[in-house]
Amino acid sequence: MTDLHALALPAADHALTWLTDRCDGELDRARQLVDRLKAAPPTSATDVLQQWNDIAIALGNAGSVSSLMAEVHPQPAVREAAESAMQRVDAFSTDLGLDRDLFDIVSGLPTDGLEPSARRLHERALRDFRRSGVDRDEGVRARLKELAEQELLTGQEFGRNIREDVRTITVTPDQLAGLPQDWLDSHRAGEDGRVTVTTDYPDAIPVRTFAHDPQTRLAMAEAFLTVGWPANDAVLQRLFALRAEHASVLGYDTWADYDAEVKMIGAGSEIGAFIDRITELSGPSAQRDHQVLLTRKQQDEPGATAVEASDVQYYSEVVRREQYAVDGQLVRTYFDFTRVRQGLLDVTGRLFGLTWQQVEAPVWHEDVAAYDVLRDGARIGRIYLDLHPRDGKYKHAAQFDLVRGVRDRQLPEGVLVCNFNRGLMEHDEVVTLFHEFGHLVHHVLAGEQEWMTFSGVATEWDFVEAPSQMLEEWAWDADVLATFATNAEGETIPADLVHRMREADDFGKGFQARTQMFYAAVSLDFHVARHDDLTARLRQLQAKYSMFPYLAGTHMHTAFGHLDGYSSGYYTYMWSLVIAKDMFSAFDRDDLFAPAVAQRYRDRVLVPGGSKDAAVLVSNFLGRAYTFDAYAAWLAE
Ligand SMILES: [Zn+2]
């Protein structure tokens, strides 16, 4: 392959101009390419598709950098410029999908003799044209365009309200009894003798997990579950109405039907069936573990009849500590951030046959580390790790694209955006890190596709979580952890502790599945029916699916960010997990580094990106179609 350059990022004082140049430059190029294609369409289908690919590359480049910088750049002006660039990219994409002349060119191509991947690209282009409504009359096309713009703006408003609504509670130091000492050291009382704690993850999760005081946990749960309220309730109503109209204009019954058409699951009605299947499969395990939580809570509060939302994390941790002898505070002493980060790179490098070489390159914030990705000595990509919280930054954990790779044209570059503590990490955070890294590796390894459309994490959306969820297994393996999990005294995490951690983690998998199905039902139901009172409907769904009651006065949906990105498809997490468990069954649990299976997985599942249907990738790897068996067996264990 050709030696490709990495994208040169700017120094801080040039960030704003650089961003606008990059986005508008690529958008202008896309516009010129479209004009050229329309003015003089080549007669050969391959030539048309090549130009189509050039357009996709330019548009993708503008989209990647703007959606990344809107979430991570430390300068508010850059974030705002990036948001506005995203709107231009989105508007251009919408125009493209509704461009009748382009559609006529692409749909009129003679496709005989096209090689299979070009034929797939052609089919995909036609499908996307149809889904954007290009074949409808002019009035409908104009309305679809308006809808797309409004949906994007409304989604951005929803995300911004979550990001910027950081809430705080104040408590006395003794109300924080139970929290780890290093956390307490960094949360001292102010002059009024009270400690301020925010709803950001590094505060909220430890408080909900460790605070002995039920009132403190309750106050935090209430604050956490009202982020975005009330503003986002109305924003969501607008978003759902826009999506419902969008689907209806295109002739679909619901947004879920429109959205599911391009997923593995295929139809909106199948989502409900899937949710019910998982709900049923997880029932016995959920009941069993719920009873354990309740019994333990009754030791503290003899009259207790329910496990509340503010109790779940705390009593899960208590049960893990007491019944599985897993002490979260002891566990975290083995997970020093710097060693974990290096360990992750070593483990994934060994598994996938890659080397990560740290490079000195301009980055958007001093916390960010850049690495070149080498395979057989050749650079195949670059990654950036942006792993600590700061003001105005994305609050969750996710992989973003900086550049999507195209064979011999551009190097894949991806970014991990997380919010971890700088010192000791919770093991959960280590698992999250492995998870997100699974997306990053997928992005890089699938970055040598010829066609931009199939580059990177470009499989059906309900499959994309499978590689990342499968990689979590490596963060639970004693041999793997032994390679980097050492405490300040240099002692390696004991294997029997890791085994107990695994058993402890499996505690609650049934009720966790039910909570996930509650979220999935919210995401589906809000997109298939109109509800005047979203909170009231939320309560009904919680009562039906979750093992835990609604917490009075809260509005979980107003900070449920996935309602924007995943829309009706939150089920995809669980769908992917079913497939992840199946794929993992092909690995030797006693030797997770066994090279043959890891390479087969890399080459048959990750490297092809979106060039084949996910079901085909999985069966190419497993040698058979995927099933629910491994997942069901794990639940029953
Ligand atoms: Zn993920």
Side-chain angles (χ1 to χ4, degrees), residues 397-398 435-436 439 464-465 468-469 566 573:
H435 173 105
E436 298 304 337
H439 293 304
V464 302
E465 296 299 330
S468 51
Q469 288 180 326
Y566 278 81
Y573 273 88

Side-chain angles (χ1 to χ4, degrees), residues 463-475:
F463 178 71
V464 302
E465 296 299 330
S468 51
Q469 288 180 326
M470 194 183 78
L471 198 59
E472 291 179 19
E473 301 280 353
W474 274 256

